[in-house]
Amino acid sequence: MLSLVVGLVTLGITHFWLLFQVIRTGMKAPTKPDFRDAVAVLGKQLQQGEISADFRLRLDRALTLYQVWDRPEVLVIGGGASGEISEANAGANYLIQAGVESAAIALEELSVNTLENFRHAHPWFEDHSQVVVISNRYHLFRVLTMAQGLGLEITPCAAEDKCRPWHRVSNLLLEAVFLHWYWSGRIFVFLIKNKRMLKKIS
């Protein structure tokens, strides 16, 4: 409700600004960033237990960096429904079958959204000074926003070789809406100084 009110008061300008940032970040994101000592791959919901096309792109990018950077540590992130294989486990199996050593892979299997991805994996990120985080281009501004909100410095890396925002309009719009909800809530809890709620996002 708060996000809706803010959007109405600003005549949608805040939504359009966030949409611009989502597109801009996706377009500028590198596919071969400078060397870093670790790689994190954000999971994506499985489709009947199978890896989705977007998740496969993320894993393939991690595989490329693993080969180019001489076997950095790889963290695969993502939970799953009770009794089902987790996104992290499915992703790890995919990488192992492609030639990544199992000893080089770490898993985070508790998270169910981007904020939880970074909250649960926070200790791992703190153990690595230079981390590349891989996701799809439409998702990278949310990735940076959540990571920075938790005090993590990361380097974003695009899963796709090329940026074609006109092919992912629905994803881009959903990202802008979600980020508007996030920022509306974050600013609100900061203003009312609710320490319990602030702790969840910082």
Side-chain angles (χ1 to χ4, degrees):
M1 181 63 72
L2 177 63
S3 178
L4 178 61
V5 170
V6 172
L8 290 172
V9 170
T10 61
L11 302 178
I13 293 174
T14 45
H15 282 97
F16 280 110
W17 184 84
L18 287 168
L19 178 61
F20 170 75
Q21 295 300 326
V22 169
I23 296 172
R24 178 174 176 269
T25 301
M27 293 181 69
K28 292 179 62 178
T31 56
K32 296 179 180 178
D34 294 336
F35 174 76
R36 298 290 185 265
D37 61 6
V39 176
V41 186
L42 298 185
K44 199 170 192 309
Q45 186 175 13
L46 303 179
Q47 298 175 344
Q48 298 181 338
E50 299 295 327
I51 291 173
S52 67
D54 279 352
F55 194 10
R56 183 175 290 105
L57 285 171
R58 302 177 189 186
L59 293 166
D60 286 342
R61 181 66 63 201
L63 178 61
T64 298
L65 296 182
Y66 176 81
Q67 295 167 338
V68 171
W69 289 350
D70 193 23
R71 299 173 176 81
E73 185 174 344
V74 180
L75 174 67
V76 189
I77 305 175
S82 178
E84 297 181 1
I85 186 172
S86 68
E87 296 165 15
N89 209 318
N93 290 340
Y94 180 91
L95 291 174
I96 291 170
Q97 291 175 10
V100 177
E101 296 177 5
S102 58
I105 300 176
L107 303 180
E108 189 291 295
E109 302 180 83
L110 300 176
S111 57
V112 296
N113 57 53
T114 305
L115 182 59
E116 287 190 1
N117 287 166
F118 290 113
R119 281 177 55 82
H120 290 307
H122 203 284
W124 183 89
F125 278 92
E126 289 188 325
D127 287 340
H128 300 83
S129 59
Q130 298 178 317
V131 180
V132 162
V133 177
I134 301 170
S135 194
N136 301 99
R137 291 181 183 272
Y138 62 80
H139 187 228
L140 286 175
F141 184 60
R142 192 201 315 189
V143 168
L144 282 170
T145 298
M146 302 297 179
Q148 291 169 357
L150 293 170
L152 299 173
E153 292 188 13
I154 64 169
T155 299
C157 178
E160 300 90 345
D161 289 325
K162 297 180 180 180
C163 183
R164 297 185 177 92
W166 52 90
H167 289 171
R168 309 306 295 264
V169 173
S170 60
N171 294 107
L172 295 170
L173 292 174
L174 285 172
E175 288 295 310
V177 169
F178 180 85
L179 283 159
H180 197 274
W181 169 84
Y182 170 82
W183 275 111
S184 297
R186 182 171 174 175
I187 292 171
F188 176 72
V189 298
F190 175 78
L191 292 175
I192 66 173
K193 302 185 185 304
N194 188 314
K195 294 182 179 179
R196 181 182 63 83
M197 296 177 70
L198 277 172
K199 190 176 180 180
K200 292 183 177 181
I201 58 174
S202 62

